[in-house]
Amino acid sequence: MKLYNTLTRKKEEFVPLEENKVKMYVCGPTVYDYIHIGNARPYVIFDTIRRYMEYKGYEVNYVQNFTDVDDKIIKRANEENVSAKDIADRFVNEAIKDADGLNVEPATKNPRVTEEMPYIIEMIETLVEKGFAYEVNGTVYFDTKSFAGYGKLSGKNIDDLEAGARIEIDREKKNPMDFVLWKPFKPGEPKWDSPWGDGRPGWHIECSVMAKRYLGDTIDIHAGGEDLIFPHHENEIAQSEAANGKPFSKYWLHNGFINVDNEKMSKSKGNFFTLREIAKVIPYDVIRFFILNGHYRSPINFSKDLMEAAGNGLDRIKNCVKDLSFIAVNGKDGDISESERKLIEECVKYKERFEESMDDDFNTADAVSSIFEFVKFANKNVNENSTKLFADAVLLKIVELCHILGIEPLKENKSSDDEEIELLIAERQEARKNKNWAEADRIRDEIAKRGIVIEDTSAGVRWSRK
Ligand code: AMP
Ligand code: ZN
């Protein structure tokens, strides 16, 4: 299995630190709002890489943090007159709901900054003691000049960076590239007690601390979006390697960006979408499939047309799987025929092609193409004259490959308003029970407006999307 390592700028063979085990850390979202469509990409990509490694027999310890102390969280909390914790709790829950919609396997651990404070303080103390950090008026800075490897991930040279940096008004720092590990308390902000007075941590330190605590000093894979290479990941390396005296992560993986209609997504341009909004009109599995249709390191463009194309592609797989399921129940009884046995042997090549693509730096786009070829094979070779056993064998093989990508063609689509629809149906049942026909009709119309067809059967209400 080869992967592109940002640190060495090469595709390298994956060799785990410990046999059959993978220690993987993925930078997670800052929870001040619903996650946006761009955030969905690292969720889906690194989940797929994890699933593939699990399929290959590795035991993956997958840690993804939630940044739950941050200026944006505090700002929103002050606007809504609630605590920063209330905002963070709300959007951690919403992010987990979205990740679940995208069929992302739960992380082994989702640490949160506010729950790691003693360990954060401990690492900053180590950095100060070892001479890699210094305190000025309650702020602790990392001294970038003291760490020889600064710039090795991003390929940046510290002297060039400093020459390019604006002359800082902030005269506290020794060097312009020095960054904050601990900042002093300001009124209206959450605070923790520390050896440098009340305050809160800077952003970068949390990931160094959480990776160490839950995975160890040296990990196999560290991942995130490409915007994090500098300064976030560069700073993580400096902190971890300075504090622990050991290499931090062996491999660094970065996903490219999702742009919207070929432009960088931003709130001011009005092309900013939360995943929740999009999942109301496009099912989560189509969004996941759309993300997998591109190579994870290339930028991808989010547009209505490309989403429709992804939806059509996924339907092709689902229709094939539906047909195979039908024949697996209604086909011929008895043993697999000789010609069917030969055809089953042929199926191996799709799985091999799939694995070749995934072994080549997780080329999901090519892996999806081999599933389409497999679908073509199934559509051509499985029909009403096939045995149940043959249809079932082909079905299982296609579903297995889809499952590695986190695509479940046998399951119903999930949209973000499923829960609301279930609730409306329950309310309509209640109204009918109370013979409140006007209310029941009103709810039925409301449900119909959402494109939902309901069917009252003896086994209860069944619903589907038009
Ligand atoms: P944030 O909450 O901004 O720290 O982002 C959480 C994760 O989403 C990080 O790994 C980011 O690099 C990634 N990310 C943010 N915006 C995009 C985007 N437009 N496309 C792809 N990944 C993104
Ligand atoms: Zn991080």
Side-chain angles (χ1 to χ4, degrees):
M1 188 161 53
K2 283 206 156 88
L3 40 76
Y4 181 85
N5 187 355
T6 310
L7 186 62
T8 56
R9 293 163 193 81
K10 294 199 288 270
K11 267 191 208 170
E12 289 175 37
E13 190 61 34
F14 178 70
V15 184
L17 297 164
E18 221 180 300
E19 208 179 334
N20 295 326
K21 296 216 159 108
V22 181
K23 295 175 196 156
M24 182 162 179
Y25 186 94
V26 182
C27 291
T30 306
V31 281
Y32 66 98
D33 202 344
Y34 291 96
I35 62 168
H36 58 70
I37 180 72
N39 301 140
R41 194 171 191 194
Y43 263 108
V44 167
I45 289 303
F46 300 120
D47 175 64
T48 305
I49 291 176
R50 171 200 189 167
R51 282 168 179 269
Y52 187 64
M53 290 186 148
E54 285 173 343
Y55 164 74
K56 287 272 194 160
Y58 292 103
E59 189 188 306
V60 184
N61 190 346
Y62 190 95
V63 176
Q64 182 173 39
N65 66 309
F66 282 118
T67 301
D68 66 348
V69 196
D70 163 87
D71 290 346
K72 291 192 197 121
I73 298 174
I74 296 168
K75 183 168 170 269
R76 184 154 186 169
N78 291 338
E79 279 164 11
E80 293 190 16
N81 213 8
V82 295
S83 70
K85 184 172 183 329
D86 288 339
I87 297 290
D89 284 349
R90 188 194 320 163
F91 291 113
V92 162
N93 285 336
E94 299 298 355
I96 289 173
K97 267 194 222 162
D98 276 328
D100 185 52
L102 289 169
N103 199 26
V104 169
E105 284 183 358
T108 320
K109 174 83 191 167
N110 282 131
R112 296 169 59 158
V113 185
T114 52
E115 291 165 4
E116 305 290 328
M117 224 38 93
Y119 309 96
I120 290 176
I121 291 169
E122 193 182 308
M123 189 179 273
I124 301 175
E125 279 185 301
T126 307
L127 289 169
V128 174
E129 276 161 25
K130 289 191 169 183
F132 290 105
Y134 58 93
E135 187 243 347
V136 188
N137 300 327
T139 304
V140 184
Y141 294 97
F142 187 94
D143 182 354
T144 42
K145 279 265 164 70
S146 70
F147 180 70
Y150 197 76
K152 66 181 172 185
L153 179 71
S154 54
K156 291 185 195 285
N157 173 300
I158 192 162
D159 294 325
D160 295 348
L161 281 170
E162 288 193 352
R166 277 184 297 135
I167 304 296
E168 304 241 357
I169 307 165
D170 179 357
R171 297 203 183 280
E172 286 183 353
K173 289 187 191 180
K174 285 192 196 165
N175 305 297
M177 295 320 293
D178 292 356
F179 57 90
V180 173
L181 299 172
W182 187 264
K183 52 179 117 181
F185 165 69
K186 281 198 222 133
E189 294 191 354
K191 61 175 193 236
W192 287 265
D193 177 30
S194 86
W196 317 283
D198 286 350
R200 62 183 169 105
W203 171 34
H204 314 295
I205 192 72
E206 66 186 69
C207 293
S208 286
V209 170
M210 294 165 179
K212 177 182 172 78
R213 181 137 192 257
Y214 297 102
L215 298 169
D217 288 353
T218 305
I219 66 174
D220 291 288
I221 297 177
H222 197 311
E226 66 184 7
D227 57 319
L228 301 184
I229 298 174
F230 189 86
H232 185 53
H233 288 165
E234 196 69 66
N235 292 353
E236 280 190 42
I237 294 180
Q239 296 162 157
S240 295
E241 299 195 350
N244 305 330
K246 290 189 196 140
F248 181 29
S249 181
K250 201 168 168 189
Y251 305 96
W252 288 83
L253 305 188
H254 292 100
N255 67 269
F257 255 43
I258 293 190
N259 297 318
V260 174
D261 291 323
N262 290 313
E263 282 201 67
K264 193 167 182 227
M265 191 163 55
S266 84
K267 281 197 171 153
S268 58
K269 277 194 202 136
N271 65 351
F272 182 95
F273 299 103
T274 65
L275 178 57
R276 195 60 63 86
E277 279 172 276
I278 291 177
K280 285 207 168 128
V281 275
I282 302 166
Y284 280 111
D285 61 352
V286 174
I287 300 173
R288 182 169 182 124
F289 194 65
F290 159 78
I291 291 173
L292 294 170
N293 276 323
H295 190 281
Y296 77 91
R297 285 193 285 120
S298 311
I300 50 172
N301 189 37
F302 176 86
S303 72
K304 203 166 159 270
D305 291 352
L306 289 173
M307 276 292 175
E308 259 173 36
N312 292 339
L314 187 56
D315 279 346
R316 245 196 293 159
I317 300 175
K318 286 187 175 174
N319 288 337
C320 169
V321 162
K322 224 187 261 169
D323 290 348
L324 291 172
S325 310
F326 182 82
I327 297 163
V329 174
N330 301 296
K332 284 191 177 161
D333 288 321
D335 266 354
I336 287 179
S337 71
E338 185 53 25
S339 59
E340 286 177 342
R341 195 185 54 72
K342 284 210 180 101
L343 285 167
I344 288 179
E345 276 169 18
E346 249 185 69
C347 292
V348 177
K349 74 173 180 239
Y350 301 108
K351 187 175 166 136
E352 281 171 359
R353 273 184 215 160
F354 179 95
E355 288 190 17
E356 257 167 50
S357 306
M358 291 300 280
D359 283 340
D360 181 16
D361 193 27
F362 313 106
N363 192 334
T364 54
D366 281 358
V368 166
S369 306
S370 53
I371 296 180
F372 281 137
E373 282 169 34
F374 203 168
V375 162
K376 241 192 247 166
F377 164 91
N379 289 343
K380 185 169 153 222
N381 293 301
V382 187
N383 52 48
E384 309 83 76
N385 299 318
S386 305
T387 63
K388 287 179 184 170
L389 288 177
F390 175 54
D392 204 36
V394 176
L395 171 69
L396 284 178
K397 286 179 200 298
I398 293 186
V399 170
E400 184 194 18
L401 297 188
C402 291
H403 178 72
I404 299 170
L405 300 179
I407 297 292
E408 312 295 349
L410 286 169
K411 281 202 188 139
E412 275 292 314
N413 280 341
K414 254 201 220 166
S415 292
S416 59
D417 57 356
D418 281 6
E419 268 175 39
E420 282 170 40
I421 290 160
E422 300 278 359
L423 201 70
L424 282 171
I425 289 174
E427 281 170 11
R428 176 173 168 265
Q429 291 301 87
E430 188 62 26
R432 279 159 61 113
K433 210 169 86 193
N434 298 331
K435 304 206 165 14
N436 187 348
W437 308 116
E439 176 65 0
D441 286 351
R442 189 195 64 75
I443 300 172
R444 191 198 53 214
D445 292 347
E446 162 77 32
I447 295 171
K449 254 192 256 155
R450 291 171 181 241
I452 306 295
V453 189
I454 47 180
E455 204 188 326
D456 295 304
T457 74
S458 56
V461 182
R462 287 177 61 177
W463 65 275
S464 57
R465 287 174 199 278
K466 252 187 247 167

